[in-house]
Amino acid sequence: MIIVGVVALVAWLWLAATRFWRTDQRLPPRRTPATWPSVAVVVPARDEAGILPETLPALLAQRYPGPLRLILVDDGSGDGTADVARALGGGRLTVTAPGGRPPGWTGKLWALAHGVEQAGEPDFLLFTDADIAHGPDSVTALVEAAGERDLVSQMARLRTRTGWERLVVPAFVYFFAMLYPFRRVNGPGRTAAAAGGCCLVRRAALERAGGVAAIRDAVIDDVALGRLLKRAGGRIWLGLAGDVRSVRPYPSLRSLWDMVARSAYTQLRHSPALLAGTVLGLALVFLAPPVLTLAGAGPARLPALAAWLLMTLTYVPMLRYYRQPWPAALLLPVTATLYLLMTVDSAVRHRRGHGAAWKGRSYG
């Protein structure tokens, strides 16, 4: 048992050294452009009639000094999403529909591609989800932070009102940052990602990289977009948001479970070997330290306790970002266990033919 504890401690010493856990990656230094570039905001929406009244008015009220156009793409909604959007837009919003989805396209990316086509030739495209509420100067801040960058993406602050949201949501962002450390994404290396809820993209750079069509079949579209632009030589930036937040509720464990399980196995490229390695890694890094600390005896407990302490300390900054009490960091092994089970369930769903989906559309 002492060997397991030592291995877990070494793993946490290495993870802590990568600084993935830091929450200081916010918008880069802002610079007012000599001429404000044109921006087209593209919002893909499917069955979002209930949530648009909470988010669309904020986009319509943006205090952006340059040319700004808003386009909502209604992707086959059955709840009157387009009618709600038109009523809220009052003529300031283009509401359009992409038509039938061609083979090989995921629904969201087909909607985005249609929105890009409708946008014409703006300098920048802002891809943002229907559940994202923007502060009044959000577009201005993104453009000022862009500088010479080709993509500026903010991970929206997710909702943490219910007990399950407070337990699961901060860990969701923490684990994402572990997979895609923001500092590495923002550096010159190969690590690339983005957050789909808020992506400001230079249109010319997107076209040079092959456009949305180049990632048409991607289920995890935001990571695919970041990779596409960086591999094409673009400069990208990803960080945590200040005044960009998601208002989508996840009131139950089931709703949060589905959010993670719908794409977890896709993230592992549908590989049983990667699944096995992930399960083993989660068990060793997150579960072994508390188990050995509480149930072990003698010297085996010391490295396990040190590993648990490091785990806890690295989680505190994310809890502070989400305005949660720091003692909740002690529950990270519990949350990690849930994520382990969600990942396994994602693989089971795939084997049963219930693959990843966006708004009820399955992409196998």
Side-chain angles (χ1 to χ4, degrees):
M1 290 296 103
I2 190 170
I3 295 177
V4 175
V6 169
V7 171
L9 176 57
V10 171
W12 273 110
L13 287 170
W14 179 82
L15 285 169
T18 67
R19 299 191 295 174
F20 80 92
W21 45 270
R22 297 189 61 169
T23 57
D24 58 350
Q25 293 296 290
R26 308 299 174 92
L27 278 180
R30 293 162 56 178
R31 182 181 63 188
T32 301
T35 302
W36 288 95
S38 55
V39 178
V41 182
V42 179
V43 184
R46 180 173 170 85
D47 294 333
E48 298 284 16
I51 214 162
L52 285 178
E54 296 185 62
T55 59
L56 196 53
L59 280 175
L60 294 166
Q62 286 295 301
R63 299 187 294 230
Y64 181 63
L68 181 67
R69 183 183 179 192
L70 274 66
I71 302 166
L72 184 137
V73 184
D74 177 28
D75 184 23
S77 299
D79 66 347
T81 289
D83 293 335
V84 171
R86 290 190 186 95
L88 291 168
R92 297 170 293 166
L93 172 72
T94 298
V95 180
T96 183
R101 175 171 57 96
W105 284 79
T106 64
K108 181 178 178 181
L109 287 171
W110 176 237
L112 284 178
H114 180 72
V116 171
E117 181 182 1
Q118 294 294 308
E121 298 185 350
D123 297 304
F124 284 97
L125 295 155
L126 174 58
F127 299 146
T128 186
D129 291 342
D131 66 299
I132 302 298
H134 290 259
D137 298 306
S138 178
V139 175
T140 301
L142 287 165
V143 170
E144 287 181 332
E148 300 301 318
R149 297 175 181 85
D150 297 306
L151 181 148
V152 174
S153 182
Q154 288 185 292
M155 180 159 283
R157 196 188 302 262
L158 305 178
R159 208 184 83 142
T160 51
R161 295 183 187 176
T162 68
W164 286 116
E165 288 172 341
R166 289 190 289 270
L167 179 67
V168 174
V169 164
F172 177 83
V173 183
Y174 174 86
F175 291 142
F176 184 91
M178 182 180 286
L179 288 172
Y180 306 102
F182 294 168
R183 288 177 178 272
R184 292 187 181 180
V185 170
N186 301 339
R190 297 179 60 184
T191 304
C198 178
C199 286
L200 183 75
V201 183
R202 196 178 301 274
R203 180 187 57 81
L206 180 61
E207 289 183 354
R208 285 195 301 270
V212 177
I215 55 171
R216 64 175 70 89
D217 60 347
V219 175
I220 307 175
D221 53 272
D222 44 10
V223 173
L225 178 62
R227 287 174 177 166
L228 176 71
L229 289 171
K230 199 167 192 180
R231 288 174 179 173
R235 293 182 59 192
I236 70 174
W237 183 93
L238 169 65
L240 296 173
D243 62 351
V244 178
R245 59 189 178 86
S246 171
V247 301
R248 189 177 303 285
Y250 292 98
S252 64
L253 177 59
R254 170 53 61 186
S255 58
L256 288 160
W257 191 291
D258 289 340
M259 177 189 72
V260 176
R262 75 179 180 86
S263 60
Y265 196 47
T266 301
Q267 185 69 57
L268 299 176
R269 302 196 292 274
H270 302 149
S271 167
L274 287 177
L275 174 65
T278 298
V279 170
L280 180 62
L282 285 172
L284 175 64
V285 174
F286 289 99
L287 307 187
V291 170
L292 292 179
T293 298
L294 298 175
R301 299 180 65 180
L302 296 179
L305 178 60
W308 193 4
L309 177 61
L310 269 176
M311 180 198 316
T312 301
L313 291 176
T314 63
Y315 192 38
V316 169
M318 189 60 69
L319 289 174
R320 287 179 174 170
Y321 171 72
Y322 272 99
R323 302 183 181 92
Q324 302 302 312
W326 72 262
L330 294 170
L331 296 177
L332 183 56
V334 175
T335 310
T337 301
L338 290 174
Y339 273 87
L340 187 156
L341 296 173
M342 293 170 186
T343 303
V344 172
D345 183 46
S346 180
V348 171
R349 293 184 185 193
H350 183 267
R351 289 182 62 86
R352 291 177 176 174
H354 303 292
W358 183 66
K359 290 291 181 179
R361 287 184 174 173
S362 178
Y363 309 122

PDB file of all heavy atoms in Angstrom, residues 90-120:
ATOM      1  N   GLY A  90     -36.885  42.534 -31.951  1.00  0.00           N
ATOM      2  CA  GLY A  90     -37.483  43.779 -32.390  1.00  0.00           C
ATOM      3  C   GLY A  90     -36.836  44.381 -33.621  1.00  0.00           C
ATOM      4  O   GLY A  90     -36.670  45.592 -33.719  1.00  0.00           O
ATOM      5  N   GLY A  91     -36.418  43.568 -34.559  1.00  0.00           N
ATOM      6  CA  GLY A  91     -35.793  44.066 -35.779  1.00  0.00           C
ATOM      7  C   GLY A  91     -34.288  44.221 -35.690  1.00  0.00           C
ATOM      8  O   GLY A  91     -33.629  44.487 -36.698  1.00  0.00           O
ATOM      9  N   ARG A  92     -33.706  44.070 -34.505  1.00  0.00           N
ATOM     10  CA  ARG A  92     -32.245  44.219 -34.340  1.00  0.00           C
ATOM     11  C   ARG A  92     -31.523  42.887 -34.460  1.00  0.00           C
ATOM     12  O   ARG A  92     -30.311  42.822 -34.295  1.00  0.00           O
ATOM     13  CB  ARG A  92     -31.943  44.830 -32.979  1.00  0.00           C
ATOM     14  CG  ARG A  92     -32.491  46.236 -32.786  1.00  0.00           C
ATOM     15  CD  ARG A  92     -32.356  46.661 -31.335  1.00  0.00           C
ATOM     16  NE  ARG A  92     -33.220  45.854 -30.476  1.00  0.00           N
ATOM     17  CZ  ARG A  92     -33.116  45.812 -29.157  1.00  0.00           C
ATOM     18  NH1 ARG A  92     -32.143  46.493 -28.551  1.00  0.00           N
ATOM     19  NH2 ARG A  92     -33.949  45.082 -28.433  1.00  0.00           N
ATOM     20  N   LEU A  93     -32.259  41.849 -34.755  1.00  0.00           N
ATOM     21  CA  LEU A  93     -31.703  40.502 -34.750  1.00  0.00           C
ATOM     22  C   LEU A  93     -32.131  39.765 -36.016  1.00  0.00           C
ATOM     23  O   LEU A  93     -33.297  39.807 -36.405  1.00  0.00           O
ATOM     24  CB  LEU A  93     -32.208  39.744 -33.506  1.00  0.00           C
ATOM     25  CG  LEU A  93     -31.904  38.256 -33.399  1.00  0.00           C
ATOM     26  CD1 LEU A  93     -30.418  38.047 -33.102  1.00  0.00           C
ATOM     27  CD2 LEU A  93     -32.760  37.625 -32.291  1.00  0.00           C
ATOM     28  N   THR A  94     -31.181  39.090 -36.663  1.00  0.00           N
ATOM     29  CA  THR A  94     -31.496  38.233 -37.796  1.00  0.00           C
ATOM     30  C   THR A  94     -31.763  36.831 -37.273  1.00  0.00           C
ATOM     31  O   THR A  94     -30.910  36.237 -36.609  1.00  0.00           O
ATOM     32  CB  THR A  94     -30.331  38.193 -38.802  1.00  0.00           C
ATOM     33  OG1 THR A  94     -30.104  39.506 -39.317  1.00  0.00           O
ATOM     34  CG2 THR A  94     -30.647  37.244 -39.944  1.00  0.00           C
ATOM     35  N   VAL A  95     -32.943  36.317 -37.543  1.00  0.00           N
ATOM     36  CA  VAL A  95     -33.298  34.950 -37.149  1.00  0.00           C
ATOM     37  C   VAL A  95     -33.391  34.126 -38.430  1.00  0.00           C
ATOM     38  O   VAL A  95     -34.128  34.468 -39.351  1.00  0.00           O
ATOM     39  CB  VAL A  95     -34.633  34.904 -36.384  1.00  0.00           C
ATOM     40  CG1 VAL A  95     -34.973  33.463 -36.001  1.00  0.00           C
ATOM     41  CG2 VAL A  95     -34.565  35.787 -35.142  1.00  0.00           C
ATOM     42  N   THR A  96     -32.639  33.049 -38.466  1.00  0.00           N
ATOM     43  CA  THR A  96     -32.555  32.251 -39.681  1.00  0.00           C
ATOM     44  C   THR A  96     -32.546  30.774 -39.334  1.00  0.00           C
ATOM     45  O   THR A  96     -32.390  30.402 -38.168  1.00  0.00           O
ATOM     46  CB  THR A  96     -31.287  32.628 -40.494  1.00  0.00           C
ATOM     47  OG1 THR A  96     -31.251  31.902 -41.708  1.00  0.00           O
ATOM     48  CG2 THR A  96     -30.027  32.358 -39.687  1.00  0.00           C
ATOM     49  N   ALA A  97     -32.735  29.944 -40.342  1.00  0.00           N
ATOM     50  CA  ALA A  97     -32.743  28.492 -40.148  1.00  0.00           C
ATOM     51  C   ALA A  97     -31.844  27.859 -41.196  1.00  0.00           C
ATOM     52  O   ALA A  97     -31.852  28.272 -42.355  1.00  0.00           O
ATOM     53  CB  ALA A  97     -34.156  27.938 -40.252  1.00  0.00           C
ATOM     54  N   PRO A  98     -31.057  26.833 -40.823  1.00  0.00           N
ATOM     55  CA  PRO A  98     -30.092  26.261 -41.754  1.00  0.00           C
ATOM     56  C   PRO A  98     -30.655  25.229 -42.714  1.00  0.00           C
ATOM     57  O   PRO A  98     -29.969  24.828 -43.656  1.00  0.00           O
ATOM     58  CB  PRO A  98     -29.068  25.603 -40.819  1.00  0.00           C
ATOM     59  CG  PRO A  98     -29.873  25.194 -39.635  1.00  0.00           C
ATOM     60  CD  PRO A  98     -30.943  26.247 -39.475  1.00  0.00           C
ATOM     61  N   GLY A  99     -31.852  24.758 -42.482  1.00  0.00           N
ATOM     62  CA  GLY A  99     -32.376  23.688 -43.322  1.00  0.00           C
ATOM     63  C   GLY A  99     -31.838  22.336 -42.896  1.00  0.00           C
ATOM     64  O   GLY A  99     -31.214  22.187 -41.839  1.00  0.00           O
ATOM     65  N   GLY A 100     -32.081  21.330 -43.704  1.00  0.00           N
ATOM     66  CA  GLY A 100     -31.700  19.966 -43.362  1.00  0.00           C
ATOM     67  C   GLY A 100     -30.197  19.812 -43.177  1.00  0.00           C
ATOM     68  O   GLY A 100     -29.406  20.383 -43.925  1.00  0.00           O
ATOM     69  N   ARG A 101     -29.812  19.007 -42.205  1.00  0.00           N
ATOM     70  CA  ARG A 101     -28.397  18.787 -41.899  1.00  0.00           C
ATOM     71  C   ARG A 101     -27.825  17.746 -42.850  1.00  0.00           C
ATOM     72  O   ARG A 101     -28.296  16.612 -42.902  1.00  0.00           O
ATOM     73  CB  ARG A 101     -28.259  18.345 -40.443  1.00  0.00           C
ATOM     74  CG  ARG A 101     -26.841  17.954 -40.030  1.00  0.00           C
ATOM     75  CD  ARG A 101     -26.786  17.745 -38.534  1.00  0.00           C
ATOM     76  NE  ARG A 101     -27.736  16.743 -38.086  1.00  0.00           N
ATOM     77  CZ  ARG A 101     -27.434  15.467 -37.875  1.00  0.00           C
ATOM     78  NH1 ARG A 101     -26.209  15.029 -38.101  1.00  0.00           N
ATOM     79  NH2 ARG A 101     -28.351  14.616 -37.444  1.00  0.00           N
ATOM     80  N   PRO A 102     -26.757  18.081 -43.575  1.00  0.00           N
ATOM     81  CA  PRO A 102     -26.144  17.104 -44.488  1.00  0.00           C
ATOM     82  C   PRO A 102     -25.451  15.985 -43.717  1.00  0.00           C
ATOM     83  O   PRO A 102     -25.069  16.155 -42.555  1.00  0.00           O
ATOM     84  CB  PRO A 102     -25.108  17.947 -45.265  1.00  0.00           C
ATOM     85  CG  PRO A 102     -25.472  19.367 -45.000  1.00  0.00           C
ATOM     86  CD  PRO A 102     -26.127  19.396 -43.660  1.00  0.00           C
ATOM     87  N   PRO A 103     -25.249  14.841 -44.328  1.00  0.00           N
ATOM     88  CA  PRO A 103     -24.512  13.758 -43.674  1.00  0.00           C
ATOM     89  C   PRO A 103     -23.095  14.215 -43.300  1.00  0.00           C
ATOM     90  O   PRO A 103     -22.464  14.970 -44.045  1.00  0.00           O
ATOM     91  CB  PRO A 103     -24.477  12.654 -44.738  1.00  0.00           C
ATOM     92  CG  PRO A 103     -25.616  12.965 -45.659  1.00  0.00           C
ATOM     93  CD  PRO A 103     -25.742  14.458 -45.664  1.00  0.00           C
ATOM     94  N   GLY A 104     -22.642  13.758 -42.143  1.00  0.00           N
ATOM     95  CA  GLY A 104     -21.286  14.082 -41.721  1.00  0.00           C
ATOM     96  C   GLY A 104     -21.161  15.322 -40.871  1.00  0.00           C
ATOM     97  O   GLY A 104     -20.073  15.629 -40.379  1.00  0.00           O
ATOM     98  N   TRP A 105     -22.241  16.064 -40.691  1.00  0.00           N
ATOM     99  CA  TRP A 105     -22.218  17.276 -39.872  1.00  0.00           C
ATOM    100  C   TRP A 105     -22.914  17.016 -38.538  1.00  0.00           C
ATOM    101  O   TRP A 105     -23.956  16.356 -38.496  1.00  0.00           O
ATOM    102  CB  TRP A 105     -22.955  18.420 -40.565  1.00  0.00           C
ATOM    103  CG  TRP A 105     -22.225  19.069 -41.682  1.00  0.00           C
ATOM    104  CD1 TRP A 105     -22.096  18.608 -42.954  1.00  0.00           C
ATOM    105  CD2 TRP A 105     -21.525  20.311 -41.631  1.00  0.00           C
ATOM    106  NE1 TRP A 105     -21.365  19.490 -43.712  1.00  0.00           N
ATOM    107  CE2 TRP A 105     -20.992  20.553 -42.930  1.00  0.00           C
ATOM    108  CE3 TRP A 105     -21.297  21.262 -40.633  1.00  0.00           C
ATOM    109  CZ2 TRP A 105     -20.249  21.692 -43.238  1.00  0.00           C
ATOM    110  CZ3 TRP A 105     -20.557  22.403 -40.941  1.00  0.00           C
ATOM    111  CH2 TRP A 105     -20.036  22.608 -42.220  1.00  0.00           C
ATOM    112  N   THR A 106     -22.350  17.559 -37.459  1.00  0.00           N
ATOM    113  CA  THR A 106     -23.112  17.616 -36.212  1.00  0.00           C
ATOM    114  C   THR A 106     -24.061  18.806 -36.292  1.00  0.00           C
ATOM    115  O   THR A 106     -23.824  19.762 -37.036  1.00  0.00           O
ATOM    116  CB  THR A 106     -22.181  17.769 -34.993  1.00  0.00           C
ATOM    117  OG1 THR A 106     -21.487  19.015 -35.074  1.00  0.00           O
ATOM    118  CG2 THR A 106     -21.201  16.624 -34.904  1.00  0.00           C
ATOM    119  N   GLY A 107     -25.127  18.746 -35.517  1.00  0.00           N
ATOM    120  CA  GLY A 107     -26.154  19.782 -35.602  1.00  0.00           C
ATOM    121  C   GLY A 107     -25.658  21.170 -35.255  1.00  0.00           C
ATOM    122  O   GLY A 107     -25.936  22.146 -35.957  1.00  0.00           O
ATOM    123  N   LYS A 108     -24.884  21.285 -34.169  1.00  0.00           N
ATOM    124  CA  LYS A 108     -24.435  22.609 -33.756  1.00  0.00           C
ATOM    125  C   LYS A 108     -23.502  23.226 -34.784  1.00  0.00           C
ATOM    126  O   LYS A 108     -23.596  24.417 -35.095  1.00  0.00           O
ATOM    127  CB  LYS A 108     -23.739  22.531 -32.390  1.00  0.00           C
ATOM    128  CG  LYS A 108     -23.267  23.889 -31.881  1.00  0.00           C
ATOM    129  CD  LYS A 108     -22.620  23.798 -30.517  1.00  0.00           C
ATOM    130  CE  LYS A 108     -22.115  25.162 -30.070  1.00  0.00           C
ATOM    131  NZ  LYS A 108     -21.460  25.115 -28.737  1.00  0.00           N
ATOM    132  N   LEU A 109     -22.590  22.433 -35.331  1.00  0.00           N
ATOM    133  CA  LEU A 109     -21.640  22.986 -36.292  1.00  0.00           C
ATOM    134  C   LEU A 109     -22.321  23.333 -37.615  1.00  0.00           C
ATOM    135  O   LEU A 109     -21.927  24.296 -38.285  1.00  0.00           O
ATOM    136  CB  LEU A 109     -20.489  22.008 -36.504  1.00  0.00           C
ATOM    137  CG  LEU A 109     -19.527  21.942 -35.304  1.00  0.00           C
ATOM    138  CD1 LEU A 109     -18.529  20.818 -35.464  1.00  0.00           C
ATOM    139  CD2 LEU A 109     -18.807  23.268 -35.117  1.00  0.00           C
ATOM    140  N   TRP A 110     -23.340  22.582 -37.987  1.00  0.00           N
ATOM    141  CA  TRP A 110     -24.117  22.939 -39.173  1.00  0.00           C
ATOM    142  C   TRP A 110     -24.820  24.276 -38.949  1.00  0.00           C
ATOM    143  O   TRP A 110     -24.863  25.127 -39.847  1.00  0.00           O
ATOM    144  CB  TRP A 110     -25.116  21.844 -39.486  1.00  0.00           C
ATOM    145  CG  TRP A 110     -26.048  22.117 -40.633  1.00  0.00           C
ATOM    146  CD1 TRP A 110     -27.411  22.114 -40.612  1.00  0.00           C
ATOM    147  CD2 TRP A 110     -25.679  22.424 -41.986  1.00  0.00           C
ATOM    148  NE1 TRP A 110     -27.918  22.410 -41.850  1.00  0.00           N
ATOM    149  CE2 TRP A 110     -26.881  22.605 -42.718  1.00  0.00           C
ATOM    150  CE3 TRP A 110     -24.462  22.583 -42.638  1.00  0.00           C
ATOM    151  CZ2 TRP A 110     -26.892  22.922 -44.067  1.00  0.00           C
ATOM    152  CZ3 TRP A 110     -24.473  22.902 -43.999  1.00  0.00           C
ATOM    153  CH2 TRP A 110     -25.675  23.065 -44.696  1.00  0.00           C
ATOM    154  N   ALA A 111     -25.336  24.475 -37.736  1.00  0.00           N
ATOM    155  CA  ALA A 111     -25.967  25.756 -37.412  1.00  0.00           C
ATOM    156  C   ALA A 111     -24.938  26.888 -37.426  1.00  0.00           C
ATOM    157  O   ALA A 111     -25.204  27.980 -37.946  1.00  0.00           O
ATOM    158  CB  ALA A 111     -26.645  25.667 -36.042  1.00  0.00           C
ATOM    159  N   LEU A 112     -23.755  26.645 -36.860  1.00  0.00           N
ATOM    160  CA  LEU A 112     -22.711  27.673 -36.867  1.00  0.00           C
ATOM    161  C   LEU A 112     -22.276  28.015 -38.288  1.00  0.00           C
ATOM    162  O   LEU A 112     -22.083  29.192 -38.618  1.00  0.00           O
ATOM    163  CB  LEU A 112     -21.505  27.205 -36.056  1.00  0.00           C
ATOM    164  CG  LEU A 112     -21.619  27.252 -34.527  1.00  0.00           C
ATOM    165  CD1 LEU A 112     -20.348  26.705 -33.896  1.00  0.00           C
ATOM    166  CD2 LEU A 112     -21.877  28.687 -34.046  1.00  0.00           C
ATOM    167  N   ALA A 113     -22.103  26.991 -39.116  1.00  0.00           N
ATOM    168  CA  ALA A 113     -21.687  27.236 -40.493  1.00  0.00           C
ATOM    169  C   ALA A 113     -22.703  28.105 -41.227  1.00  0.00           C
ATOM    170  O   ALA A 113     -22.331  29.009 -41.991  1.00  0.00           O
ATOM    171  CB  ALA A 113     -21.492  25.911 -41.224  1.00  0.00           C
ATOM    172  N   HIS A 114     -23.975  27.832 -40.986  1.00  0.00           N
ATOM    173  CA  HIS A 114     -25.020  28.651 -41.614  1.00  0.00           C
ATOM    174  C   HIS A 114     -24.958  30.081 -41.093  1.00  0.00           C
ATOM    175  O   HIS A 114     -25.105  31.040 -41.876  1.00  0.00           O
ATOM    176  CB  HIS A 114     -26.390  28.034 -41.329  1.00  0.00           C
ATOM    177  CG  HIS A 114     -27.525  28.797 -41.938  1.00  0.00           C
ATOM    178  ND1 HIS A 114     -27.782  28.814 -43.297  1.00  0.00           N
ATOM    179  CD2 HIS A 114     -28.475  29.600 -41.365  1.00  0.00           C
ATOM    180  CE1 HIS A 114     -28.842  29.567 -43.545  1.00  0.00           C
ATOM    181  NE2 HIS A 114     -29.279  30.059 -42.386  1.00  0.00           N
ATOM    182  N   GLY A 115     -24.742  30.244 -39.809  1.00  0.00           N
ATOM    183  CA  GLY A 115     -24.623  31.586 -39.246  1.00  0.00           C
ATOM    184  C   GLY A 115     -23.444  32.345 -39.821  1.00  0.00           C
ATOM    185  O   GLY A 115     -23.541  33.551 -40.109  1.00  0.00           O
ATOM    186  N   VAL A 116     -22.321  31.661 -40.011  1.00  0.00           N
ATOM    187  CA  VAL A 116     -21.144  32.292 -40.614  1.00  0.00           C
ATOM    188  C   VAL A 116     -21.453  32.737 -42.038  1.00  0.00           C
ATOM    189  O   VAL A 116     -21.074  33.832 -42.470  1.00  0.00           O
ATOM    190  CB  VAL A 116     -19.945  31.314 -40.588  1.00  0.00           C
ATOM    191  CG1 VAL A 116     -18.791  31.870 -41.416  1.00  0.00           C
ATOM    192  CG2 VAL A 116     -19.501  31.067 -39.157  1.00  0.00           C
ATOM    193  N   GLU A 117     -22.174  31.894 -42.769  1.00  0.00           N
ATOM    194  CA  GLU A 117     -22.549  32.251 -44.138  1.00  0.00           C
ATOM    195  C   GLU A 117     -23.435  33.489 -44.161  1.00  0.00           C
ATOM    196  O   GLU A 117     -23.272  34.383 -45.001  1.00  0.00           O
ATOM    197  CB  GLU A 117     -23.265  31.074 -44.796  1.00  0.00           C
ATOM    198  CG  GLU A 117     -23.675  31.330 -46.229  1.00  0.00           C
ATOM    199  CD  GLU A 117     -24.435  30.157 -46.831  1.00  0.00           C
ATOM    200  OE1 GLU A 117     -24.656  29.151 -46.120  1.00  0.00           O
ATOM    201  OE2 GLU A 117     -24.832  30.248 -48.005  1.00  0.00           O
ATOM    202  N   GLN A 118     -24.374  33.561 -43.229  1.00  0.00           N
ATOM    203  CA  GLN A 118     -25.278  34.704 -43.161  1.00  0.00           C
ATOM    204  C   GLN A 118     -24.573  35.982 -42.707  1.00  0.00           C
ATOM    205  O   GLN A 118     -25.024  37.089 -43.007  1.00  0.00           O
ATOM    206  CB  GLN A 118     -26.422  34.401 -42.182  1.00  0.00           C
ATOM    207  CG  GLN A 118     -27.351  33.289 -42.629  1.00  0.00           C
ATOM    208  CD  GLN A 118     -28.127  33.655 -43.874  1.00  0.00           C
ATOM    209  OE1 GLN A 118     -28.769  34.702 -43.935  1.00  0.00           O
ATOM    210  NE2 GLN A 118     -28.077  32.797 -44.884  1.00  0.00           N
ATOM    211  N   ALA A 119     -23.459  35.828 -41.998  1.00  0.00           N
ATOM    212  CA  ALA A 119     -22.768  36.988 -41.420  1.00  0.00           C
ATOM    213  C   ALA A 119     -22.070  37.841 -42.468  1.00  0.00           C
ATOM    214  O   ALA A 119     -21.784  39.020 -42.224  1.00  0.00           O
ATOM    215  CB  ALA A 119     -21.759  36.510 -40.379  1.00  0.00           C
ATOM    216  N   GLY A 120     -21.755  37.279 -43.621  1.00  0.00           N
ATOM    217  CA  GLY A 120     -21.040  38.044 -44.633  1.00  0.00           C
ATOM    218  C   GLY A 120     -19.542  38.058 -44.363  1.00  0.00           C
ATOM    219  O   GLY A 120     -18.933  37.008 -44.164  1.00  0.00           O
TER     220      GLY A 120
END
